[in-house]
Amino acid sequence: MEDIGGMTKHKKKTGSVIFVASAVVLLIIFLKTSAKETVRADETEETVNQAKAVYTEEYQDAVDEQLEVEKSSEVYTEDQMLIKENPYGTNTLSLYVYFTTEDPVSVSYNVSVSDASIDDFSQTPAGEEEFITEHEFQVLGLIPEVKNTITFTLTKQDGSEETRSYVHTMGELSGEEELKLQQTEAAEERGTVTDGLFVILGNDSDEEDFMYYYDNSGILRGEIPLIGYRSHRLLFQNDRMYYSISENQIAAVNRLGKVEMIYDTGAYSLHHDYVFDDDGNILVLATDTESESVEDQIIKINTQTGGISRVLDLGELFPDYKEACTVNEDGELDWMHINTIQWVGGDEIILSSRETSTILRITDIYGSPKVKYMIGEESFWEGTGYEELLLEKDESLGAFSNTGGQHSVTYVKDETLNAGEYYLYLFNNNFGTSNSKPSYDWEQIDGIETSMKKGTASYYYKYKINENDGTYSLVQSFEVPFSAYVSSTQEYDGNLIIDSGMQGIFGEYDSNGNLIQQFQMELADEYIYRVYKYDFQNFYFAG
């Protein structure tokens, strides 16, 4: 934003001189601002076009061919490594490294900069924990616009070590994200944080889009360009990482950063979530762009062939309810708005519906789909004909209110529970609204927020489901920063990662809900969709 603080410096002048001077100043500011906006728009278009080019078979194959030519042109050793900055275009803060050694060695690396406020970043690349003679991997975690010293440690089987150093100056970031996030709570005073990188999934903007990696100090360690929209989660299978890169594309990327497959969903636009089934296919929450309703479909991507097929239309399971719903102010029938999908196994899934504040379990999705049960507010479904599908609240552990617009529902199978019992945890936005059913009065639910601006509390919820007697109970709950929409929660290595998306706040909590550390991120627009943590073991890094 243009700084116009200097405009008030000449108030002592009078008459037409003031008017002329002010007009000149305003004209200069206007021209500068317009020039900046034009430059920014040009840069944005260029970045988007670059991302579109990167996520093509032609681009990736051309990079592969060039690397193979260079690898075969001479012998690269620990004293002369082949090092390329982000050749595949999928992480602007990374290096591709290739070399051979006469003796088998394992390799680790350390990235350091002269800024004392930025800690070193150290990793062992996946595969490099083994003693081998050919080494090819990706270095992550470089810092933009400064000299980075990468120190490679080569360890022989007898335990002896040698080091080699390489200095690389990174250019500017492609996006406008923060290099260092504001930390609002000190981790060392409250508990132990887990290893891994926080992955920002959807700091949505109207300009270019990215996925970001931040370390436990809030330092940016990865910038992954997207064509648009957002990534919703990372999936890993067969040495590939899968993530959405636009409203109708998902990419499969290998550990070197090469895009190996791009899946196009055609007439379906994806939204909010995807998951693997037992056969390694991807089930995707979708909108049929040729339909009058939105966010009520599930499609399947065959990861081997790229084929797309429709699996489920929720309108076929709830025809009467859908018929009674109202279109929103955009003229869309957003009557269910499913935002999470979980694969249970045996052709069964669990869905989260924000618009109805209801969790659904659906059976036989590849045959004759059927709603097995629902978890939601009884008064919301009263008189619809579907209320008989609701599980019954078990309040023996204490009374509780149902969720309002929940997100990030996660299925957890626990071997200590009986057959037919399991856990579901989620981000309870605690915000009651349903544009497709405006007659419903959410204020009748005790404790629920009904104002997006005045709301004060959202919650982490953990349910225990007992299908044997058709009940659910709240076994854990604690307050988190309020977010009326979006947001996420994740059980991760004994801790909890929670994102209150509309505030741009995410934090790590211990298993009892005590905050360990928290970060504030500047919003590109209105919210951060999700924040999950990943250790990237056996992908980027050694397991």
Side-chain angles (χ1 to χ4, degrees), residues 51-62 227 245 259 262:
K52 288 180 178 178
V54 161
Y55 290 104
T56 62
E57 183 179 345
E58 293 78 13
Y59 182 96
Q60 298 296 318
D61 287 347
I227 294 174
I245 57 174
V259 181
I262 300 165

Side-chain angles (χ1 to χ4, degrees), residues 20-278:
V20 173
S22 297
V24 170
V25 170
L26 288 171
L27 179 60
I28 292 171
I29 290 170
F30 173 77
L31 291 174
K32 285 184 176 180
T33 302
S34 298
K36 274 190 172 183
E37 290 176 349
T38 300
V39 169
R40 182 59 190 155
D42 290 344
E43 290 175 348
T44 297
E45 184 177 2
E46 181 182 357
T47 302
V48 172
N49 288 336
Q50 286 175 351
K52 288 180 178 178
V54 161
Y55 290 104
T56 62
E57 183 179 345
E58 293 78 13
Y59 182 96
Q60 298 296 318
D61 287 347
V63 171
D64 244 8
E65 291 174 10
Q66 179 61 34
L67 287 175
E68 288 302 319
V69 168
E70 294 194 51
K71 285 161 61 176
S72 61
S73 65
E74 58 183 286
V75 177
Y76 291 96
T77 68
E78 62 266 41
D79 297 314
Q80 184 183 354
M81 301 178 185
L82 175 60
I83 299 179
K84 295 285 186 179
E85 180 181 316
N86 186 29
Y88 293 107
T90 53
N91 186 346
T92 65
L93 300 179
S94 70
L95 299 175
Y96 165 89
V97 178
Y98 175 83
F99 63 97
T100 60
T101 52
E102 185 174 339
D103 298 319
V105 298
S106 63
V107 179
S108 61
Y109 65 82
N110 179 80
V111 178
S112 63
V113 295
S114 59
D115 187 341
S117 69
I118 298 178
D119 292 338
D120 291 359
F121 185 75
S122 301
Q123 296 291 342
T124 299
E128 293 297 327
E129 70 277 23
E130 304 291 335
F131 296 99
I132 53 179
T133 58
E134 186 174 24
H135 309 272
E136 188 177 30
F137 52 86
Q138 198 176 173
V139 171
L140 274 67
L142 280 77
I143 303 300
E145 299 186 67
V146 297
K147 289 183 178 180
N148 292 257
T149 299
I150 302 94
T151 302
F152 298 96
T153 299
L154 288 66
T155 304
K156 294 183 178 181
Q157 290 173 302
D158 63 6
S160 61
E161 294 181 349
E162 293 182 358
T163 61
R164 299 290 188 276
S165 291
Y166 171 77
V167 177
H168 186 85
T169 301
M170 296 297 293
E172 296 181 351
L173 292 169
S174 294
E176 295 187 313
E177 69 276 15
E178 299 151 280
L179 172 62
K180 188 172 186 178
L181 300 179
Q182 177 188 354
Q183 187 167 331
T184 63
E185 299 287 345
E188 59 271 18
E189 296 177 0
R190 299 207 172 190
T192 303
V193 296
T194 54
D195 292 334
L197 293 172
F198 296 103
V199 178
I200 312 300
L201 298 154
N203 190 355
D204 291 10
S205 74
D206 293 328
E207 300 179 344
E208 68 269 43
D209 291 280
F210 300 89
M211 182 166 61
Y212 309 115
Y213 302 158
Y214 283 91
D215 66 18
N216 280 326
S217 297
I219 303 297
L220 182 69
R221 298 297 182 176
E223 182 192 57
I224 290 75
L226 308 174
I227 294 174
Y229 196 36
R230 69 174 82 100
S231 299
H232 298 85
R233 71 168 73 236
L234 302 180
L235 300 178
F236 296 90
Q237 178 177 261
N238 298 330
D239 297 327
R240 289 175 171 177
M241 180 172 72
Y242 295 76
Y243 57 93
S244 52
I245 57 174
S246 72
E247 286 190 333
N248 61 356
Q249 290 176 301
I250 290 177
V253 179
N254 69 21
R255 62 182 59 174
L256 297 177
K258 181 188 176 182
V259 181
E260 294 189 339
M261 289 285 289
I262 300 165
Y263 304 97
D264 195 305
T265 58
Y268 293 96
S269 64
L270 60 87
H271 65 90
H272 297 321
D273 213 0
Y274 34 78
V275 68
F276 285 128
D277 68 8
D278 287 337

Side-chain angles (χ1 to χ4, degrees), residues 308-355:
I308 307 295
S309 57
R310 191 182 75 173
V311 171
L312 180 65
D313 179 348
L314 284 171
E316 296 175 358
L317 295 181
F318 295 89
D320 296 336
Y321 179 76
K322 179 182 178 181
E323 181 67 26
C325 287
T326 303
V327 298
N328 60 26
E329 59 186 12
D330 296 324
E332 296 176 331
L333 184 57
D334 190 6
W335 64 282
M336 187 62 75
H337 200 108
I338 43 178
N339 60 32
T340 313
I341 181 170
Q342 292 281 285
W343 179 257
V344 177
D347 290 358
E348 296 194 24
I349 57 173
I350 290 173
L351 300 175
S352 166
S353 165
R354 190 206 72 191
E355 185 69 5

